[in-house]
Each structure stands twice: as structure tokens, then as C-alpha cells.
Amino acid sequence: MNPVVIAVCLMLLLSLLRINVVISLTLSAIVGGMIAGLSLTESANIFANGLGGGATIALSYAMLGAFAVAISRSGITDLLAFKIIKALGADASPGRIIWIKSMLLVALLLVAISSQNLIPIHIAFIPILIPPLLHVMAKLKLDRRAVACVLTFGLTATYMTLPIGFGGIFLNTVLLANMVENGVAATKSMLPMAMALPVGGMFLGLLVAVFFSYRKPRIYDESKIVSVEPEHIQINFAHLGIAALAILSALSLQLYSDSIILGAMVGFMIFTLGGVVKFKESQDAFTQGVKMMSLIGFIMIAAAGFAAVIKATDGIGSLVEAVSLTMGDNKALAALTMLIVGLLITMGIGSSFSTIPIIAPIYAPMCIAMGFSPLATLAIIGTAGALGDAGSPASDSTLGPTSGLNADGQHDHIWDSVVPTFIHYNIPLIIFGWIAAMVL
């Protein structure tokens, strides 16, 4: 009857039953709090007080939505779609279709990787780049679940491996710092080596998703895709220039100020002042963008409340303590159990960056006591923290892809983003993370 286990399992069950994720998170948090001995009022108050932790990212997504709408009105993304369809041709052979699909998936993967390390904008590119490409994907009969897997891999695998951008934050500032603080003799040079096997498992999952699970064509209703037909668009090159200026300005300001809100706001203003978005239409464009991203914003706010209740129950410490009593001196069982517990925690909180500081003070002494090497300890705790990020209903690594792929309402967040990424990434992560713990 551990409150963390009950709350996370209830949240996942309700989500799989297609109950709205916000309701699932709210109800599960309150149930978890009450199981831990908190009253209904206390659980509700803790949940409400924790909501503020998700407000910043929710507003960031709202501003990104407005910025994405402005970019789409400039025609720059329609031009990209037009070029792809023109390359495809009216009577494309099956071989040419496969080639275009492959190039599109590779391009999206490279952009997702770059968003973590080269140009650290995280998921900001998704609501801007993906919706205009839905028309192309529909013509290609490309299964969007494969696209979701490609995007999520690029968003998660790279920060787990490359110590640059968000990878530098996760590996150095979060993982390594918590290891050293808790007595593990780890160094920066160990980090890529410790995470190589788990990420290798994710890459294997990516190959399975693209070449086997979602290889077959999938039909989407093109009439539901709200966009200008790329074959008939008229490109205004002045608007393209303004779009380029707005995107560069927004990106530069975001990198300088570390604020998505500020960057997106300035970008939207440039579009308005440049005439791409008329002054009388700016309110409508902003509202349209906020609507597009509103669900993600509310889910992130609810996830912050859920995490606050979970932490208040002290259920994580008692869960690890109870599990440790059953492990004895069995290192193989200990490693597997720590990974599964990490999966449960991250699935609920939705952030690997927030999970590491919670589990490191508990896991690090356990690993040292059981004789795990520093490399193996890094692999266990790093993988345990990342587990669930790819596959949690409340993770921006799944919410981001959904925000773009569901722009026309034909991509379900749980069954088309969460379940595919959970199957293809979390299961290999557990297997290969366990192998790394045993061999390093």
C-alpha cells in the first residue's frame, strides 16, 4: 500500500482508460496523499500549492503556440512542405516514397538531437515545425507513432549521453554533482561510458519502432488537417525574411536570457510589426496558439502538483527501504529493483532532472554498500532517473511530440505517443541499464 506505487499505477490506469491526463494526475495525487495518512483537505491543499511549479513552463508553451501560429502564417513551413511534396512527385514509386520517408525521419531526428545539445531549445521546435508537415506525412501515409518515437529518442537519448547543452545540465550539474555529494567517486570522463549501454538499448528500440512496429502505411484524414494546400500556396518572400529575422531573434534572446517566454514573445511581436500577422488579427492568432498548447500547459501544471503530494507523503523513502529489505546481498536483484523503482518515480513526476536529486541520496549509499563500482552506480542512478521520461504521460518528452502531431486531432497522446515510447524505450532501458550495472 505504498502511496507512490498506488498513485503512479492509478494515474497510468486512468490515462490508459482515456481519462483526461489532468484529471488522472489530480485524482491520483489526492488518493496517494490519503493513503499516506493525509486528509482529503491536506492532500488537496498540497496539490494546489504545488501547482505553481508548473506555471512557468505552461506559460512558455502558450507563448510558443502563439509563435508557432505566426510562423505558419508567414508561409516558411508551407514552403518546406511544398518542396518535399514536389520532390515526391505525383506518381512516386514505392522506392521513392520510402526514400522520402527515410529522409524526413532522419531530418526530424537530427533536429531533435540539435534541440538538446547544439541549439538547446528543447521541445520549442515541435509546435513550429511539425504541424505544417502533417499534410506531407498524410500523403506519405507515414505512421505518426514512428515520428513520435523518433522525436522522443532525439529529445532524451542525447541529453543522457552528450555533456553539452541540456546534456551538460543532466550529466554534470544533476547526475555527477549528486553522485559526488553522496560519496560516489565518479568523474566527468565516466559519464558517457556509464550511459552508453542504456542509450544503446534505446537506439535498438528506435530501430524496432521505425523498421518493424510502425513500418506499415497508416491512413489519416487529410480533410482534418487545417493548412494551406502546399501545391497551391503563394510564397511572400518578404514574409519569409521577416520569419527568418523573428526566428533568429527569438532563438538568440532565449539562449541569452534562458527564457522561452521572452524569446517567443519578441518573435511574435516581430511578426506583428512586420505585417505577417495583422494588428487586428494578432489577438486571434495568439488565442489560436494558446488553444493549441493549452492541454500541455495544464498537464505540466497538474504534474507539478502531483510531484508535490508525492514528496509530501515520504513514500519514496519508505518504498526504497521496504524494497532493500527484500534484496539481501543479491546485486542483480538490487540493480533491477532500483531501476524499476526509478521508473515508477519518474513516470509520476515526469522529469528525469527532478528524479535524480530524489533517488541519489538513497541509491548511492546502497550501491556503495553492495559493492557496485562508480561506473555501475552512475549507470544505475542515471538510467533509473531517465526511465519514465520517455513514456510518462506528464513528461515533456512525450507531450512535445503530441503537441505537433495532434494539431489536427488525429494523434492520441496516450496510445500514440506514451504507449509506443514506453514500449520501445523504457523496456530496453531497464534491460540494458541492468546489463551495464552487472558488467561495469
Side-chain angles (χ1 to χ4, degrees):
M1 294 295 289
N2 183 276
V4 175
V5 176
I6 298 297
V8 172
C9 289
L10 178 60
M11 182 268 292
L12 295 176
L13 176 62
L14 292 174
S15 297
L16 289 172
L17 292 174
R18 299 186 184 274
I19 303 297
N20 183 274
V21 178
V22 175
I23 295 176
S24 300
L25 285 164
T26 305
L27 180 59
S28 302
I30 293 174
V31 170
M34 294 178 67
I35 289 175
L38 300 173
S39 68
L40 175 63
T41 303
E42 288 174 326
S43 300
N45 287 338
I46 293 172
F47 181 84
N49 291 333
L51 296 178
T56 300
I57 193 167
L59 182 57
S60 298
Y61 287 172
M63 292 298 300
L64 278 176
F67 187 43
V69 169
I71 289 178
S72 68
R73 294 192 178 187
S74 72
I76 190 170
T77 46
D78 287 322
L79 178 61
L80 173 62
F82 172 72
K83 293 292 186 183
I84 296 175
I85 290 180
K86 186 178 180 181
L88 182 61
D91 300 313
S93 64
R96 188 165 183 79
I97 291 175
I98 292 174
W99 172 254
I100 297 294
K101 280 185 180 180
S102 302
M103 291 299 98
L104 179 59
L105 290 176
V106 168
L108 292 177
L109 177 61
L110 292 177
V111 172
I113 290 173
S114 300
S115 73
Q116 300 303 298
N117 304 98
L118 183 62
I119 306 174
I121 56 175
H122 197 37
I123 67 169
F125 75 95
I126 295 177
I128 297 170
L129 179 62
I130 299 300
L133 293 177
L134 294 181
H135 186 80
V136 176
M137 294 179 191
K139 283 189 172 297
L140 292 170
K141 297 181 175 60
L142 178 60
D143 195 326
R144 296 183 194 178
R145 292 173 295 181
V147 179
C149 289
V150 167
L151 292 172
T152 299
F153 179 87
L155 293 172
T156 55
T158 43
Y159 79 67
M160 294 169 59
T161 313
L162 302 175
I164 307 168
F166 287 107
I169 297 173
F170 179 77
L171 292 173
N172 297 326
T173 307
V174 178
L175 180 57
L176 182 62
N178 276 277
M179 292 298 94
V180 174
E181 185 179 333
N182 289 282
V184 179
T187 62
K188 286 186 177 181
S189 61
M190 295 180 180
L191 293 169
M193 189 184 307
M195 301 305 295
L197 263 175
V199 172
M202 289 188 69
F203 183 69
L204 179 61
L206 173 65
L207 295 179
V208 171
V210 172
F211 292 107
F212 294 96
S213 303
Y214 310 121
R215 176 176 56 87
K216 294 181 179 180
R218 196 178 193 193
I219 306 299
Y220 293 92
D221 186 352
E222 293 189 54
S223 66
K224 294 182 179 180
I225 303 176
V226 182
S227 63
V228 178
E229 289 289 320
E231 298 94 329
H232 305 108
I233 59 173
Q234 293 182 346
I235 300 299
N236 186 321
F237 289 98
H239 286 180
L240 295 183
I242 294 170
L245 174 63
I247 293 171
L248 289 174
S249 300
L251 176 59
S252 301
L253 191 56
Q254 179 193 330
L255 295 177
Y256 174 77
S257 64
D258 195 28
S259 172
I260 294 176
I261 297 174
L262 190 57
M265 181 184 67
V266 169
F268 186 81
M269 290 175 61
I270 290 174
F271 276 116
T272 304
L273 294 173
V276 174
V277 178
K278 306 298 182 184
F279 278 96
K280 64 180 180 179
E281 298 174 354
S282 61
Q283 181 66 36
D284 176 65
F286 189 88
T287 302
Q288 184 181 346
V290 171
K291 285 181 180 179
M292 181 174 68
M293 301 296 283
S294 60
L295 178 59
I296 291 183
F298 280 116
I299 291 175
M300 297 305 293
I301 290 173
F306 182 93
V309 175
I310 291 301
K311 292 175 184 178
T313 64
D314 195 30
I316 295 174
S318 62
L319 173 61
V320 175
E321 183 180 350
V323 169
S324 64
L325 294 175
T326 66
M327 295 185 303
D329 296 325
N330 190 326
K331 292 178 68 174
L333 179 60
L336 180 61
T337 304
M338 283 189 278
L339 291 173
I340 293 174
V341 171
L343 170 65
L344 282 172
I345 296 170
T346 312
M347 287 288 285
I349 296 176
S351 169
S352 56
F353 289 74
S354 300
T355 299
I356 295 292
I358 296 174
I359 64 174
I362 306 170
Y363 279 16
M366 289 176 58
C367 290
I368 294 172
M370 298 197 72
F372 285 104
S373 69
L375 267 176
T377 302
L378 281 171
I380 291 171
I381 298 178
T383 304
L387 267 165
D389 195 7
S392 169
S395 169
D396 48 12
S397 297
T398 57
L399 287 166
T402 298
S403 70
L405 295 169
N406 193 42
D408 60 353
Q410 297 189 77
H411 183 87
D412 183 76
H413 176 56
I414 298 300
W415 289 103
D416 294 332
S417 285
V418 172
V419 172
T421 54
F422 181 93
I423 292 173
H424 292 91
Y425 297 140
N426 285 335
I427 294 175
L429 268 174
I430 290 178
I431 296 172
F432 283 79
W434 179 83
I435 293 173
M438 293 294 98
V439 301
L440 293 178

